[in-house]
Amino acid sequence: AQTVTQSQPEMSVQEAETVTLSCTYDTSESDYYLFWYKQPPSRQMILVIRQEAYKQQNATENRFSVNFQKAAKSFSLKISDSQLGDAAMYFCAYRSRVGFQKLVFGTGTRLLVSP
Amino acid sequence: GAGVSQSPSNKVTEKGKDVELRCDPISGHTALYWYRQSLGQGLEFLIYFQGNSAPDKSGLPSDRFSAERTGGSVSTLTIQRTQQEDSAVYLCASSLEGTGDFNNEQFFGPGTRLTVL
C-alpha cells in the first residue's frame, strides 16, 4: 500500500517570502501522480499543482512549483511571493495510474502567513 | 450547480443515533468518492462509485457505514449507531471518470462536519 508523509505540522512565512513544504511517499509503483491540495477554513479542497511521475520536469503553476525527486520519493511544494491568502492547510496526495482512482493523503501542513 | 455540494454543512448527533450525509456531484461526473477527515489527520478514503459498477467499499471502517448512489448521481453516506470516534469531516468528491487519466481531476465538496456527543 502507498503511504504519504508530511513531517511539518506547521510552517510560517512572511508575506512576499518563499516557503517550501515537504512531502515524502512510499510506493512500489513506477507510474503514478502526485498532487498538492490547499484546504482553506471553508474546508473545500482546492487542487494547487500536480505532477506525473514519468515526467522529469518539475511542474509549475504561477507562484507554486514542485521539486520532484523520484528516486528519493520526495515531492516538495515551493510557494514564492507568499500572500495572506495562501494561509491554509496543504495536503500532499498520491494517486495510482492504474485501477480506480482514490487519492492517498498525507496528514497536512498548516501554513501561516504573517504581514 | 457548478460544483459538488454536500448537506448538511454541520451535523450534531447523539451517540447511538443514525445519520445520513448527502452529496450532489457535478452534473455528468460518473465517478464519486467519499473521504473522511478526522481531527489532525489527512483524508481517508471510504468508498468509490463508478457509473453502474459495484462500488468499491474497501475503505469503510465498519459495517455501521454504508453508502448508496441513486440514478448514478446523488449519493448518501449512512452511519448507523454513531460513536464518538465517528466525529470528523466527511468530504465527497466527483470526477468525470474513474480512469487513470492525468486530467481526470477530483473536485471536492465543502464537506459535512459530524459531531457525535
Side-chain angles (χ1 to χ4, degrees):
Chain A
Q2 297 83 20
T3 59
V4 177
T5 301
Q6 293 179 252
S7 58
Q8 305 158 318
E10 189 174 282
M11 292 286 284
S12 296
V13 66
Q14 288 193 315
E15 260 189 307
E17 298 295 309
T18 296
V19 65
T20 299
L21 308 185
S22 301
C23 172
T24 58
Y25 59 94
D26 190 28
T27 184
S28 59
E29 299 176 328
S30 59
D31 199 6
Y32 47 87
Y33 307 125
L34 296 165
F35 305 85
W36 278 97
Y37 281 88
K38 172 184 179 180
Q39 187 181 41
S42 67
R43 298 195 308 241
Q44 192 140 12
M45 301 286 281
I46 302 165
L47 179 63
V48 173
I49 197 166
R50 50 189 167 184
Q51 174 84 38
E52 295 175 82
Y54 72 88
K55 285 191 174 179
Q56 300 264 347
Q57 187 174 3
N58 290 322
T60 300
E61 289 285 344
N62 301 313
R63 297 182 296 106
F64 299 86
S65 61
V66 298
N67 183 5
F68 173 49
Q69 301 289 328
K70 190 173 184 179
K73 296 181 181 174
S74 171
F75 183 62
S76 61
L77 174 69
K78 185 171 82 171
I79 306 174
S80 304
D81 186 26
S82 296
Q83 300 174 0
L84 292 177
D86 294 334
M89 285 291 292
Y90 286 82
F91 291 94
C92 179
Y94 172 105
R95 195 181 88 190
S96 177
R97 197 172 183 275
V98 296
F100 83 92
Q101 300 308 308
K102 76 173 185 181
L103 289 161
V104 178
F105 287 88
T107 53
T109 296
R110 181 175 301 282
L111 179 64
L112 306 174
V113 182
S114 55
Chain B
V4 178
S5 60
Q6 293 186 245
S7 61
S9 179
N10 293 282
K11 176 73 176 178
V12 180
T13 190
E14 293 179 348
K15 178 180 173 181
K17 295 284 180 67
D18 297 351
V19 295
E20 286 189 352
L21 312 180
R22 177 187 168 104
C23 172
D24 283 88
I26 293 173
S27 178
H29 280 192
T30 64
L32 186 147
Y33 315 77
W34 283 97
Y35 295 88
R36 178 171 70 174
Q37 184 177 19
S38 302
L39 186 64
Q41 300 295 314
L43 279 71
E44 168 193 18
F45 165 76
L46 295 177
I47 188 169
Y48 159 73
F49 296 89
Q50 170 57 51
N52 296 320
S53 302
D56 186 306
K57 305 179 183 180
S58 60
L60 294 178
S62 77
D63 59 8
R64 297 186 295 105
F65 288 71
S66 63
E68 63 177 19
R69 189 177 184 192
T70 54
S73 181
V74 171
S75 178
T76 301
L77 177 69
T78 302
I79 309 173
Q80 296 179 308
R81 304 181 302 282
T82 51
Q83 304 294 312
Q84 288 183 331
E85 60 262 29
D86 299 335
S87 296
V89 174
Y90 290 83
L91 289 154
C92 174
S94 71
S95 63
L96 195 59
E97 299 175 351
T99 68
D101 188 297
F102 180 58
N103 294 310
N104 196 23
E105 180 181 345
Q106 291 184 28
F107 293 86
F108 284 81
T112 295
R113 181 180 297 280
L114 175 65
T115 303
V116 182
L117 302 177

